[in-house]
Amino acid sequence: SAQTLSKGARAYTAGWQEAPATKDAECLVLARNLAQEGFRVLLHDRVNTGGSSFYLGRRRDSESADDIAGSSQVGRSAEYRGHGEPRLQAFFLRELMVATGFSRAFLWGNSAGSRLSCHLASMFPEHVLGLILFNITSGPRAASALANSYYTQYIPAAEVATSDEDHSGVSLEKLTRHDLYFGLVARRSANAEAIRATSVVEFAETLGTWANFLLAGNGEPIVGARADMLANIKCSAFVVFDHVDDGFHTPQASRALASALGNCKECVVGQRAAVWFPRVLAFVRSCQ
């Protein structure tokens, strides 16, 4: 989960009251309380999750690299296939922020949302006032588990949908046996056709690339973000660990993230929202 925060004249939240059960409790606590403090709060689903679009980031044949690099349209900002999915998701979030009036904002993320927030802060520093990063993952065990959970387990489901040699699309029926893809289709019907139109080769290659991106970072401070990228993030950051230590999300990972960031103001470990929220709020106000 990830949310974007921006100070405004009147407070509003974008749909948090009806947020799906998969939204972390911390996300809703922070959204509600920050809205009450006069902040505008935008909650969103990362691309390829929840109610967002299915998109693997393949450049269309009609586009040149220069077209993509110079465009501000969603999905046309870069060639994504050689990069990890957080880069793709950061481009989408940046476009969403601009489209909804959050030209500069604080980014809050939990777990994968923290990874995404770090990438966006590195890629588009002009849009980020500060980072609030919860419950990040670190280490070889987490890298392996996440690569399988997000990507490699789905590749066998990408079987040819028909015997027609001219169609080698992904099998929607097999893929939607998995909760992630079932949710993508159930919450956004256009994703069904987008999945069917994706070739098995493209699906397998892209998910394999994204899995390898996570696996390659198993020696980095956190999974999916290089140490040099974290060190070069200029905005202030606040790191929190309030998760159960499950061997993937650990206090050590949050402390490693805090140490790796170029400007981390505080790292709070093992405290409930009643403790960390006032400190997060003080941090946000100090960065105004």
Side-chain angles (χ1 to χ4, degrees):
S1 57
Q3 59 184 297
T4 309
L5 319 172
S6 178
K7 188 69 173 176
R10 57 181 295 194
Y12 76 89
T13 57
W16 69 264
Q17 296 95 335
E18 294 80 34
T22 53
K23 292 288 187 186
D24 293 326
E26 295 92 341
C27 180
L28 302 185
V29 168
L30 193 58
R32 181 184 305 115
N33 284 277
L34 284 166
Q36 291 173 351
E37 293 290 337
F39 287 87
R40 300 168 62 217
V41 182
L42 172 70
L43 302 183
H44 85 289
D45 291 330
R46 303 185 314 278
V47 65
N48 294 321
T49 68
S52 288
S53 298
F54 170 80
Y55 185 72
L56 297 186
R58 179 183 283 278
R59 187 177 69 206
R60 291 186 286 274
D61 292 339
S62 61
E63 296 173 333
S64 69
D66 289 340
D67 290 335
I68 295 171
S71 174
S72 63
Q73 297 181 30
V74 168
R76 296 186 52 172
S77 297
E79 169 62 71
Y80 304 112
R81 286 170 56 77
H83 304 281
E85 190 179 22
R87 180 181 175 90
L88 169 69
Q89 293 171 338
F91 274 109
F92 270 76
L93 178 53
R94 182 258 184 187
E95 296 292 339
L96 178 63
M97 289 169 61
V98 172
T100 52
F102 289 79
S103 59
R104 299 189 71 215
F106 292 90
L107 303 182
W108 182 95
N110 182 73
S111 192
S114 291
R115 184 163 44 249
L116 161 60
S117 297
C118 288
H119 276 269
L120 196 151
S122 173
M123 296 160 61
F124 302 110
E126 68 276 15
H127 292 296
V128 183
L129 291 169
L131 298 172
I132 307 165
L133 306 172
F134 276 62
N135 305 320
I136 198 63
T137 51
S138 180
R141 183 183 173 199
S144 178
L146 292 176
N148 180 67
S149 176
Y150 292 163
Y151 307 121
T152 55
Q153 68 165 318
Y154 304 117
I155 294 175
E159 297 179 1
V160 176
T162 175
S163 59
D164 184 349
E165 292 183 358
D166 294 329
H167 183 86
S168 57
V170 169
S171 171
L172 183 66
E173 188 274 331
K174 292 183 180 296
L175 203 56
T176 53
R177 293 175 185 173
H178 297 273
D179 289 345
L180 171 63
Y181 287 90
F182 178 84
L184 279 171
V185 172
R187 297 185 60 196
R188 184 181 287 264
S189 58
N191 284 335
E193 184 55 37
I195 292 171
R196 287 194 190 97
T198 303
S199 76
V200 173
V201 171
E202 179 185 0
F203 184 87
E205 286 184 351
T206 303
L207 267 64
T209 296
W210 290 349
N212 288 335
F213 173 81
L214 295 182
L215 292 170
N218 62 24
E220 299 290 350
I222 65 172
V223 174
R226 298 191 314 272
D228 59 341
M229 184 193 85
L230 297 172
N232 288 327
I233 292 175
K234 303 303 182 185
C235 66
S236 299
F238 193 106
V239 176
V240 178
F241 178 81
D242 67 347
H243 198 281
V244 173
D245 184 344
D246 56 9
F248 306 126
H249 308 83
T250 66
Q252 293 81 5
S254 290
R255 292 190 180 102
L257 172 61
S259 297
L261 287 165
N263 192 19
C264 182
K265 298 300 186 182
E266 189 169 356
C267 179
V268 177
V269 173
Q271 300 292 335
R272 294 183 179 275
V275 174
W276 57 251
F277 176 74
R279 291 157 77 171
V280 168
L281 186 59
F283 162 76
V284 170
R285 287 174 169 161
S286 73
C287 296
Q288 295 290 299

